Amino acid sequence: AEIQTMVPQEIEIDGDPLGKGTHLSLRVQPRSLRVRMPYGKKDPAVLGQTQP
């Protein structure tokens, strides 16, 4: 993902403040990020099935 703003914004990753910036570029290695949600919670942004 790449984010660019006209006005500097505070940048935080995983709770760690990184200061202000106008450009952020990041990537996630395949299968390196696990997202957990409460069982049965449905979010339109999530395409897969939830499992306990």
Side-chain angles (χ1 to χ4, degrees):
E2 192 165 351
I3 301 168
Q4 190 163 352
T5 64
M6 300 294 286
V7 178
Q9 302 290 315
E10 291 289 337
I11 299 172
E12 176 185 309
I13 296 190
D14 198 25
D16 296 326
L18 300 178
K20 287 188 175 188
T22 58
H23 183 255
L24 177 65
S25 179
L26 56 102
R27 64 186 170 138
V28 176
Q29 295 294 329
R31 305 189 61 83
S32 66
L33 178 65
R34 183 173 296 206
V35 177
R36 296 185 182 256
M37 296 174 53
Y39 180 70
K41 172 93 172 155
K42 296 291 184 177
D43 186 323
V46 178
L47 301 177
Q49 295 292 325
T50 59
Q51 298 178 2

